[in-house]
Amino acid sequence: MKKSILITGGAGFIGSHLIQLFVQKYPQYKIINLDALTYAGNLENLKAVEGASNYVFEKADIQDANALSAIFEKHQITDVIHLAAESHVDRSITDPLAFVKTNVFGTVNLLNTAKEYWKGNLSDHLFYHVSTDEVYGSLDDDSFFLETTAYDPQSPYSASKAASDHFVRAYANTYKMKTVVSNCSNNYGPNHFPEKLIPLCINNIKNSKPLPVYGKGENVRDWLFVKDHARAIDTVFHNGKPGETYNIGGFNEWKNIDIVKLLCAKMDQKLGREAGTSEKLITYVQDRAGHDHRYAIDATKIQKELGWEPSLQFEEGIEITIDWYLNNQEWLDHVTSGAYQDYYSQLYENR
Ligand code: NAD
Ligand code: DAU
Protein backbone atom coordinates (compact mmCIF):
# COMPACT_ATOMS: atom_id res chain seq x y z
CA MET A 1 0.00 0.00 0.00
CA LYS A 2 1.33 3.45 -0.89
CA LYS A 3 2.07 5.46 2.25
CA SER A 4 -0.02 8.57 2.83
CA ILE A 5 1.61 10.18 5.84
CA LEU A 6 -0.11 12.84 7.93
CA ILE A 7 2.44 15.17 9.52
CA THR A 8 0.84 17.56 12.02
CA GLY A 9 2.44 20.89 12.88
CA GLY A 10 4.32 20.87 9.58
CA ALA A 11 4.35 24.68 9.27
CA GLY A 12 6.27 25.05 12.53
CA PHE A 13 9.99 25.01 13.14
CA ILE A 14 10.78 21.27 13.32
CA GLY A 15 7.77 20.19 11.25
CA SER A 16 8.83 22.30 8.25
CA HIS A 17 12.30 20.71 8.21
CA LEU A 18 10.74 17.25 8.52
CA ILE A 19 8.28 17.92 5.68
CA GLN A 20 11.09 19.09 3.39
CA LEU A 21 13.13 15.99 4.20
CA PHE A 22 10.23 13.59 3.57
CA VAL A 23 8.85 15.30 0.44
CA GLN A 24 12.28 15.37 -1.19
CA LYS A 25 13.62 12.01 0.00
CA TYR A 26 10.46 9.93 -0.50
CA PRO A 27 8.73 10.90 -3.78
CA GLN A 28 6.78 7.62 -3.49
CA TYR A 29 5.00 8.85 -0.31
CA LYS A 30 2.17 11.35 -0.20
CA ILE A 31 2.86 13.87 2.57
CA ILE A 32 -0.09 15.69 4.09
CA ASN A 33 0.79 18.66 6.28
CA LEU A 34 -2.00 19.39 8.77
CA ASP A 35 -1.53 22.67 10.61
CA ALA A 36 -3.83 25.22 12.24
CA LEU A 37 -1.39 28.05 11.40
CA THR A 38 -1.26 29.50 14.90
CA TYR A 39 1.25 32.30 15.55
CA ALA A 40 3.95 29.58 15.31
CA GLY A 41 2.86 28.20 11.94
CA ASN A 42 4.47 29.83 8.91
CA LEU A 43 3.96 28.52 5.38
CA GLU A 44 6.91 30.64 4.26
CA ASN A 45 9.00 27.88 5.91
CA LEU A 46 7.81 25.51 3.18
CA LYS A 47 8.46 27.46 -0.03
CA ALA A 48 10.90 24.75 -1.18
CA VAL A 49 8.15 22.11 -1.42
CA GLU A 50 5.07 24.23 -2.20
CA GLY A 51 4.68 22.90 -5.75
CA ALA A 52 5.79 19.31 -5.12
CA SER A 53 3.35 16.73 -6.50
CA ASN A 54 3.62 14.51 -3.38
CA TYR A 55 2.84 17.37 -0.94
CA VAL A 56 -0.52 18.70 0.26
CA PHE A 57 -1.33 21.33 2.89
CA GLU A 58 -4.52 21.11 4.97
CA LYS A 59 -5.39 23.95 7.34
CA ALA A 60 -7.09 22.35 10.35
CA ASP A 61 -7.04 22.32 14.12
CA ILE A 62 -6.33 19.01 15.87
CA GLN A 63 -9.07 19.95 18.35
CA ASP A 64 -11.62 19.61 15.53
CA ALA A 65 -12.61 15.92 15.32
CA ASN A 66 -14.82 16.37 12.22
CA ALA A 67 -12.03 18.07 10.30
CA LEU A 68 -9.60 15.31 11.27
CA SER A 69 -11.96 12.52 10.13
CA ALA A 70 -12.55 14.28 6.82
CA ILE A 71 -8.80 14.61 6.21
CA PHE A 72 -8.16 10.93 7.07
CA GLU A 73 -10.90 9.92 4.60
CA LYS A 74 -9.87 12.34 1.88
CA HIS A 75 -6.20 11.32 1.88
CA GLN A 76 -6.57 7.71 3.11
CA ILE A 77 -4.00 8.32 5.81
CA THR A 78 -1.77 5.31 6.49
CA ASP A 79 0.53 6.76 9.19
CA VAL A 80 0.77 9.80 11.47
CA ILE A 81 3.78 11.77 12.65
CA HIS A 82 2.40 14.13 15.27
CA LEU A 83 4.27 17.36 16.00
CA ALA A 84 1.49 19.95 16.33
CA ALA A 85 1.70 21.53 19.76
CA GLU A 86 1.95 24.69 21.75
CA SER A 87 5.71 24.62 22.25
CA HIS A 88 6.87 27.66 24.25
CA VAL A 89 7.40 27.23 28.00
CA ASP A 90 6.95 30.95 28.81
CA ARG A 91 3.57 31.00 27.06
CA SER A 92 2.52 27.92 29.05
CA ILE A 93 3.14 29.86 32.25
CA THR A 94 0.78 32.67 31.21
CA ASP A 95 -1.85 30.48 29.46
CA PRO A 96 -1.72 26.82 30.61
CA LEU A 97 -5.17 26.02 29.22
CA ALA A 98 -4.07 26.63 25.64
CA PHE A 99 -1.51 23.87 26.22
CA VAL A 100 -4.10 21.47 27.63
CA LYS A 101 -6.38 22.15 24.67
CA THR A 102 -3.86 21.51 21.90
CA ASN A 103 -1.29 19.22 23.49
CA VAL A 104 -3.60 17.00 25.53
CA PHE A 105 -7.11 17.27 24.06
CA GLY A 106 -5.80 17.71 20.50
CA THR A 107 -3.52 14.69 20.77
CA VAL A 108 -6.31 12.47 22.15
CA ASN A 109 -8.61 13.70 19.36
CA LEU A 110 -5.99 12.69 16.81
CA LEU A 111 -5.45 9.30 18.47
CA ASN A 112 -9.23 8.69 18.42
CA THR A 113 -9.53 9.65 14.77
CA ALA A 114 -6.66 7.35 13.81
CA LYS A 115 -8.04 4.49 15.92
CA GLU A 116 -11.49 4.78 14.30
CA TYR A 117 -10.17 5.19 10.76
CA TRP A 118 -7.70 2.28 11.07
CA LYS A 119 -10.21 0.04 12.91
CA GLY A 120 -9.74 -3.65 12.06
CA ASN A 121 -6.13 -3.31 10.92
CA LEU A 122 -4.47 -1.14 13.57
CA SER A 123 -1.23 -3.11 13.32
CA ASP A 124 -0.71 -1.96 9.70
CA HIS A 125 -0.43 1.69 10.71
CA LEU A 126 1.97 3.73 12.83
CA PHE A 127 1.17 6.65 15.13
CA TYR A 128 4.45 8.42 15.90
CA HIS A 129 4.36 11.04 18.66
CA VAL A 130 7.16 13.62 18.72
CA SER A 131 7.87 14.74 22.27
CA THR A 132 10.37 16.50 24.47
CA ASP A 133 13.02 15.74 27.08
CA GLU A 134 11.26 18.21 29.41
CA VAL A 135 8.86 15.43 30.49
CA TYR A 136 11.70 13.98 32.58
CA GLY A 137 11.94 17.11 34.75
CA SER A 138 15.01 19.00 35.89
CA LEU A 139 18.47 17.60 36.71
CA ASP A 140 20.43 19.01 39.64
CA ASP A 141 23.33 16.55 39.39
CA ASP A 142 25.43 15.32 36.46
CA SER A 143 23.17 12.39 35.49
CA PHE A 144 21.35 11.93 32.17
CA PHE A 145 17.79 11.23 31.06
CA LEU A 146 17.31 7.64 29.89
CA GLU A 147 14.21 6.22 28.22
CA THR A 148 13.50 4.54 31.56
CA THR A 149 13.76 7.75 33.63
CA ALA A 150 10.50 8.42 35.50
CA TYR A 151 8.43 11.33 34.25
CA ASP A 152 8.57 14.42 36.46
CA PRO A 153 7.32 17.39 34.41
CA GLN A 154 7.72 20.79 36.06
CA SER A 155 6.11 23.38 33.76
CA PRO A 156 2.58 23.53 32.32
CA TYR A 157 4.18 22.88 28.90
CA SER A 158 6.04 19.76 30.02
CA ALA A 159 3.02 18.55 32.02
CA SER A 160 0.89 18.79 28.87
CA LYS A 161 3.51 16.95 26.78
CA ALA A 162 3.86 14.27 29.48
CA ALA A 163 0.08 13.79 29.49
CA SER A 164 0.06 13.42 25.70
CA ASP A 165 2.91 10.85 25.85
CA HIS A 166 0.93 8.88 28.44
CA PHE A 167 -2.18 8.93 26.25
CA VAL A 168 -0.20 7.61 23.28
CA ARG A 169 1.13 4.73 25.37
CA ALA A 170 -2.36 4.13 26.84
CA TYR A 171 -3.76 3.75 23.29
CA ALA A 172 -0.99 1.27 22.47
CA ASN A 173 -1.73 -0.75 25.59
CA THR A 174 -5.53 -0.55 25.54
CA TYR A 175 -6.40 -0.61 21.85
CA LYS A 176 -3.19 -2.23 20.53
CA MET A 177 -2.38 0.74 18.34
CA LYS A 178 1.10 0.65 16.85
CA THR A 179 2.84 3.67 18.36
CA VAL A 180 6.30 5.07 18.91
CA VAL A 181 7.42 8.09 20.97
CA SER A 182 10.65 10.07 20.79
CA ASN A 183 11.81 12.63 23.34
CA CYS A 184 14.26 15.21 22.04
CA SER A 185 16.40 17.94 23.56
CA ASN A 186 16.50 21.62 22.49
CA ASN A 187 16.58 22.17 18.74
CA TYR A 188 18.16 25.15 16.99
CA GLY A 189 18.55 26.17 13.36
CA PRO A 190 16.89 28.09 10.50
CA ASN A 191 13.17 28.98 10.74
CA HIS A 192 13.15 29.00 14.56
CA PHE A 193 10.52 31.45 15.82
CA PRO A 194 12.34 34.37 17.49
CA GLU A 195 10.66 33.94 20.86
CA LYS A 196 13.12 31.13 21.71
CA LEU A 197 16.57 31.86 23.18
CA ILE A 198 18.87 31.42 20.16
CA PRO A 199 16.83 33.18 17.42
CA LEU A 200 15.75 35.87 19.89
CA CYS A 201 19.38 36.67 20.67
CA ILE A 202 20.44 36.59 17.01
CA ASN A 203 17.65 39.03 16.12
CA ASN A 204 18.38 41.30 19.10
CA ILE A 205 22.15 41.35 18.52
CA LYS A 206 21.50 42.28 14.91
CA ASN A 207 19.28 45.16 16.03
CA SER A 208 21.47 46.12 19.03
CA LYS A 209 18.63 45.39 21.45
CA PRO A 210 18.98 43.98 25.02
CA LEU A 211 19.61 40.23 25.38
CA PRO A 212 17.36 39.04 28.23
CA VAL A 213 19.10 36.29 30.21
CA TYR A 214 16.87 34.64 32.81
CA GLY A 215 18.30 34.46 36.35
CA LYS A 216 22.07 34.07 36.30
CA GLY A 217 22.17 32.31 32.93
CA GLU A 218 23.45 29.15 34.65
CA ASN A 219 20.69 26.85 33.34
CA VAL A 220 21.92 24.10 31.04
CA ARG A 221 20.35 22.82 27.83
CA ASP A 222 21.49 20.13 25.34
CA TRP A 223 21.30 21.56 21.80
CA LEU A 224 20.69 19.65 18.55
CA PHE A 225 20.60 21.03 14.99
CA VAL A 226 17.01 20.84 13.72
CA LYS A 227 17.90 18.90 10.55
CA ASP A 228 19.55 16.23 12.71
CA HIS A 229 16.29 15.93 14.67
CA ALA A 230 14.42 15.55 11.37
CA ARG A 231 16.89 12.79 10.36
CA ALA A 232 16.30 11.09 13.71
CA ILE A 233 12.52 11.19 13.21
CA ASP A 234 13.03 9.65 9.74
CA THR A 235 15.13 6.89 11.33
CA VAL A 236 12.64 6.16 14.12
CA PHE A 237 9.67 6.28 11.73
CA HIS A 238 11.22 3.68 9.42
CA ASN A 239 13.23 1.51 11.81
CA GLY A 240 11.98 2.14 15.36
CA LYS A 241 10.37 -0.77 17.18
CA PRO A 242 6.63 -0.32 17.81
CA GLY A 243 5.85 0.42 21.46
CA GLU A 244 9.35 1.80 22.08
CA THR A 245 10.60 5.19 23.20
CA TYR A 246 13.75 6.79 21.78
CA ASN A 247 15.65 9.68 23.37
CA ILE A 248 17.21 12.07 20.86
CA GLY A 249 19.93 14.53 21.87
CA GLY A 250 22.96 16.40 20.73
CA PHE A 251 25.56 15.25 23.30
CA ASN A 252 26.05 19.00 23.50
CA GLU A 253 25.36 20.77 26.82
CA TRP A 254 25.70 24.51 27.22
CA LYS A 255 24.95 27.04 29.95
CA ASN A 256 22.61 29.70 28.56
CA ILE A 257 25.06 32.53 29.29
CA ASP A 258 27.83 30.75 27.36
CA ILE A 259 25.57 30.35 24.32
CA VAL A 260 24.61 34.02 24.46
CA LYS A 261 28.28 35.04 24.67
CA LEU A 262 29.17 32.73 21.78
CA LEU A 263 26.45 34.32 19.64
CA CYS A 264 27.73 37.80 20.59
CA ALA A 265 31.32 36.95 19.62
CA LYS A 266 30.39 35.32 16.31
CA MET A 267 28.01 38.11 15.33
CA ASP A 268 30.48 40.88 16.21
CA GLN A 269 32.84 39.25 13.71
CA LYS A 270 30.20 38.77 11.03
CA LEU A 271 28.76 42.27 11.42
CA GLY A 272 32.22 43.88 11.51
CA ARG A 273 31.73 45.19 15.05
CA GLU A 274 34.53 45.61 17.56
CA ALA A 275 34.98 42.49 19.77
CA GLY A 276 32.93 42.82 22.97
CA THR A 277 30.33 45.19 21.47
CA SER A 278 27.34 42.81 21.60
CA GLU A 279 28.15 41.37 25.06
CA LYS A 280 27.27 44.82 26.42
CA LEU A 281 23.68 44.08 25.42
CA ILE A 282 23.40 41.19 27.91
CA THR A 283 20.75 42.03 30.49
CA TYR A 284 20.03 39.74 33.43
CA VAL A 285 16.25 39.68 33.95
CA GLN A 286 13.82 38.01 36.35
CA ASP A 287 14.08 34.23 36.21
CA ARG A 288 11.42 32.07 34.51
CA ALA A 289 8.98 30.75 37.15
CA GLY A 290 9.93 27.18 38.09
CA HIS A 291 12.88 27.32 35.67
CA ASP A 292 14.27 23.80 35.09
CA HIS A 293 17.98 23.79 35.90
CA ARG A 294 19.43 21.23 33.49
CA TYR A 295 18.31 18.88 30.74
CA ALA A 296 20.69 16.21 29.44
CA ILE A 297 19.72 13.39 27.11
CA ASP A 298 21.47 10.05 26.92
CA ALA A 299 20.90 9.16 23.25
CA THR A 300 22.81 5.86 23.36
CA LYS A 301 19.75 3.74 22.56
CA ILE A 302 18.94 5.38 19.20
CA GLN A 303 22.67 5.50 18.41
CA LYS A 304 23.29 1.80 19.13
CA GLU A 305 19.97 0.29 18.01
CA LEU A 306 19.14 2.47 15.01
CA GLY A 307 22.53 3.87 14.01
CA TRP A 308 21.54 7.56 14.26
CA GLU A 309 23.87 10.25 15.52
CA PRO A 310 24.12 14.01 15.05
CA SER A 311 25.87 14.94 11.80
CA LEU A 312 26.86 18.49 12.72
CA GLN A 313 29.16 19.88 15.39
CA PHE A 314 27.57 22.75 17.36
CA GLU A 315 30.04 25.42 16.12
CA GLU A 316 29.19 24.48 12.52
CA GLY A 317 25.44 24.43 13.19
CA ILE A 318 25.55 27.82 14.91
CA GLU A 319 27.46 29.35 11.96
CA ILE A 320 24.81 27.99 9.55
CA THR A 321 22.05 29.31 11.80
CA ILE A 322 23.45 32.83 12.19
CA ASP A 323 24.17 33.06 8.45
CA TRP A 324 20.62 31.91 7.67
CA TYR A 325 19.11 34.68 9.82
CA LEU A 326 21.46 37.29 8.35
CA ASN A 327 20.60 36.18 4.81
CA ASN A 328 16.84 35.86 5.38
CA GLN A 329 15.90 39.34 6.48
CA GLU A 330 12.56 39.11 4.65
CA TRP A 331 11.55 35.99 6.65
CA LEU A 332 12.50 37.76 9.88
CA ASP A 333 10.68 40.96 8.88
CA HIS A 334 7.53 39.00 8.04
CA VAL A 335 7.69 37.14 11.35
CA THR A 336 8.33 40.20 13.49
CA SER A 337 5.69 42.30 11.66
CA GLY A 338 3.12 39.47 11.52
CA ALA A 339 2.98 39.64 7.68
CA TYR A 340 3.72 35.89 7.43
CA GLN A 341 0.17 35.27 8.60
CA ASP A 342 -1.17 36.69 5.28
CA TYR A 343 0.81 34.15 3.27
CA TYR A 344 -1.83 31.42 3.58
CA SER A 345 -4.54 33.61 2.04
CA GLN A 346 -2.21 34.74 -0.74
CA LEU A 347 -1.40 31.13 -1.53
CA TYR A 348 -4.68 29.29 -1.02
CA GLU A 349 -7.57 31.79 -1.08
CA ASN A 350 -8.36 31.38 -4.78
CA ARG A 351 -7.74 27.64 -5.04
P1 NAD B 1 6.46 25.25 16.82
O1 NAD B 1 5.77 26.01 17.89
O2 NAD B 1 7.50 25.91 15.99
O3 NAD B 1 5.36 24.68 15.78
C1 NAD B 1 4.17 24.10 16.21
C2 NAD B 1 3.26 23.95 14.99
O4 NAD B 1 2.03 23.34 15.42
C3 NAD B 1 2.89 25.29 14.33
O5 NAD B 1 3.00 25.19 12.93
C4 NAD B 1 1.44 25.51 14.75
O6 NAD B 1 0.69 26.26 13.81
C5 NAD B 1 0.93 24.08 14.88
N1 NAD B 1 -0.19 23.95 15.81
C6 NAD B 1 -0.28 24.45 17.07
N2 NAD B 1 -1.47 24.17 17.61
C7 NAD B 1 -2.15 23.46 16.67
C8 NAD B 1 -3.44 22.87 16.64
N3 NAD B 1 -4.29 22.99 17.67
N4 NAD B 1 -3.81 22.19 15.53
C9 NAD B 1 -2.96 22.08 14.46
N5 NAD B 1 -1.75 22.65 14.43
C10 NAD B 1 -1.35 23.33 15.53
O7 NAD B 1 7.01 23.93 17.50
P2 NAD B 1 8.36 23.12 17.22
O8 NAD B 1 9.45 23.74 17.99
O9 NAD B 1 8.50 22.91 15.76
O10 NAD B 1 7.99 21.74 17.93
C11 NAD B 1 7.29 20.72 17.21
C12 NAD B 1 7.06 19.54 18.15
O11 NAD B 1 8.29 19.05 18.63
C13 NAD B 1 6.23 19.89 19.38
O12 NAD B 1 5.37 18.81 19.65
C14 NAD B 1 7.26 20.06 20.49
O13 NAD B 1 6.71 19.74 21.73
C15 NAD B 1 8.31 19.05 20.06
N6 NAD B 1 9.69 19.36 20.48
C16 NAD B 1 10.24 20.58 20.23
C17 NAD B 1 11.58 20.80 20.58
C18 NAD B 1 12.25 22.12 20.31
O14 NAD B 1 13.38 22.34 20.78
N7 NAD B 1 11.67 23.03 19.55
C19 NAD B 1 12.33 19.79 21.19
C20 NAD B 1 11.72 18.55 21.44
C21 NAD B 1 10.40 18.35 21.06
O1 DAU C 1 14.14 20.69 25.73
C1 DAU C 1 13.26 20.71 24.65
C2 DAU C 1 12.42 21.98 24.69
O2 DAU C 1 13.28 23.05 24.32
C3 DAU C 1 11.21 21.91 23.77
O3 DAU C 1 10.36 20.89 24.19
C4 DAU C 1 10.48 23.24 23.76
O4 DAU C 1 9.41 23.20 22.84
C5 DAU C 1 11.45 24.33 23.35
O5 DAU C 1 10.83 25.59 23.38
C6 DAU C 1 12.67 24.33 24.26
O6 DAU C 1 12.33 24.76 25.60
P1 DAU C 1 13.27 25.75 26.46
O7 DAU C 1 12.43 26.41 27.47
O8 DAU C 1 14.49 25.05 26.91
O9 DAU C 1 13.70 26.79 25.29
P2 DAU C 1 13.83 28.38 25.28
O10 DAU C 1 14.52 28.76 24.02
O11 DAU C 1 12.56 29.06 25.63
O12 DAU C 1 14.85 28.64 26.49
C7 DAU C 1 16.15 28.07 26.50
C8 DAU C 1 16.82 28.49 27.79
O13 DAU C 1 17.09 29.91 27.73
C9 DAU C 1 15.96 28.29 29.03
O14 DAU C 1 16.80 27.90 30.12
C10 DAU C 1 15.35 29.66 29.29
C11 DAU C 1 16.41 30.61 28.78
N1 DAU C 1 15.93 31.88 28.22
C12 DAU C 1 14.95 31.84 27.26
C13 DAU C 1 14.47 32.99 26.70
C14 DAU C 1 13.36 32.94 25.67
C15 DAU C 1 16.52 33.08 28.59
O15 DAU C 1 17.44 33.12 29.43
N2 DAU C 1 16.04 34.23 28.02
C16 DAU C 1 15.04 34.24 27.09
O16 DAU C 1 14.64 35.33 26.62
Side-chain angles (χ1 to χ4, degrees):
M1 182 183 18
K2 186 182 165 186
K3 280 196 182 299
S4 189
I5 305 171
L6 184 74
I7 298 184
T8 70
F13 168 46
I14 301 169
S16 59
H17 287 275
L18 183 69
I19 297 253
Q20 286 179 60
L21 176 71
F22 268 56
V23 167
Q24 285 159 0
K25 186 171 172 187
Y26 301 110
Q28 72 275 28
Y29 296 168
K30 181 172 172 189
I31 304 300
I32 299 92
N33 172 11
L34 184 161
D35 199 297
L37 298 184
T38 68
Y39 81 94
N42 182 351
L43 288 179
E44 294 187 19
N45 293 342
L46 288 159
K47 283 188 173 166
V49 295
E50 239 160 45
S53 58
N54 62 336
Y55 170 71
V56 181
F57 176 68
E58 291 283 1
K59 184 167 188 257
D61 192 318
I62 55 170
Q63 296 172 64
D64 181 346
N66 292 334
L68 293 184
S69 302
I71 289 168
F72 270 70
E73 294 280 351
K74 179 176 168 192
H75 298 289
Q76 298 174 27
I77 300 299
T78 58
D79 303 87
V80 171
I81 308 180
H82 176 37
L83 291 94
E86 287 292 339
S87 70
H88 192 39
V89 174
D90 292 332
R91 287 178 190 255
S92 83
I93 294 169
T94 50
D95 185 9
L97 266 182
F99 286 67
V100 176
K101 286 178 188 160
T102 283
N103 300 1
V104 187
F105 177 71
T107 299
V108 179
N109 232 353
L110 189 61
L111 282 163
N112 264 342
T113 307
K115 175 170 76 68
E116 284 308 302
Y117 184 72
W118 295 335
K119 200 160 46 188
N121 54 358
L122 281 174
S123 60
D124 292 343
H125 305 281
L126 181 67
F127 189 104
Y128 179 174
H129 181 54
V130 174
S131 192
T132 170
D133 60 357
E134 300 200 13
V135 297
Y136 297 121
S138 176
L139 294 166
D140 287 319
D141 55 19
D142 56 3
S143 62
F144 289 85
F145 298 135
L146 290 166
E147 287 80 357
T148 49
T149 301
Y151 275 30
D152 187 20
Q154 299 292 317
S155 72
Y157 164 68
S158 52
S160 70
K161 290 297 289 187
S164 63
D165 292 9
H166 288 319
F167 268 105
V168 172
R169 295 193 181 102
Y171 271 61
N173 178 61
T174 310
Y175 308 109
K176 308 303 169 210
M177 274 181 82
K178 199 164 93 171
T179 64
V180 68
V181 176
S182 60
N183 297 84
C184 187
S185 63
N186 285 60
N187 287 214
Y188 71 96
N191 309 95
H192 206 181
F193 195 83
E195 64 184 349
K196 309 278 167 62
L197 180 71
I198 289 181
L200 178 99
C201 286
I202 293 174
N203 191 33
N204 286 12
I205 292 170
K206 190 159 171 276
N207 296 305
S208 299
K209 284 166 64 180
L211 308 174
V213 173
Y214 297 164
K216 294 181 179 154
E218 297 282 321
N219 303 65
V220 175
R221 298 290 183 266
D222 164 25
W223 293 93
L224 177 70
F225 193 63
V226 62
K227 287 184 194 296
D228 276 330
H229 187 192
R231 284 177 47 249
I233 295 173
D234 180 14
T235 303
V236 172
F237 178 76
H238 288 98
N239 302 319
K241 282 201 209 118
E244 292 287 318
T245 296
Y246 296 91
N247 279 353
I248 302 167
F251 303 97
N252 177 43
E253 288 181 52
W254 285 76
K255 279 186 189 168
N256 293 338
I257 187 64
D258 294 336
I259 295 240
V260 175
K261 286 182 177 169
L262 178 76
L263 292 171
C264 289
K266 288 206 175 285
M267 288 191 64
D268 279 347
Q269 269 178 7
K270 286 183 192 289
L271 297 171
R273 293 177 184 164
E274 195 184 325
T277 305
S278 299
E279 274 203 24
K280 294 192 189 114
L281 299 168
I282 293 176
T283 310
Y284 292 93
V285 298
Q286 190 180 6
D287 209 352
R288 175 182 277 174
H291 197 171
D292 286 343
H293 175 64
R294 171 173 168 259
Y295 306 139
I297 278 282
D298 182 335
T300 308
K301 177 175 171 180
I302 185 172
Q303 204 181 20
K304 288 229 165 94
E305 291 185 12
L306 304 183
W308 172 90
E309 58 184 13
S311 68
L312 275 190
Q313 295 295 316
F314 188 61
E315 291 264 333
E316 200 183 340
I318 275 292
E319 289 279 341
I320 293 171
T321 305
I322 296 172
D323 290 344
W324 187 86
Y325 280 93
L326 294 179
N327 294 328
N328 286 273
Q329 185 58 47
E330 194 185 46
W331 183 92
L332 209 44
D333 286 345
H334 287 181
V335 167
T336 48
S337 70
Y340 69 105
Q341 289 174 320
D342 300 333
Y343 193 67
Y344 171 77
S345 42
Q346 283 167 27
L347 210 61
Y348 289 98
E349 211 149 63
N350 299 318
R351 288 192 191 177

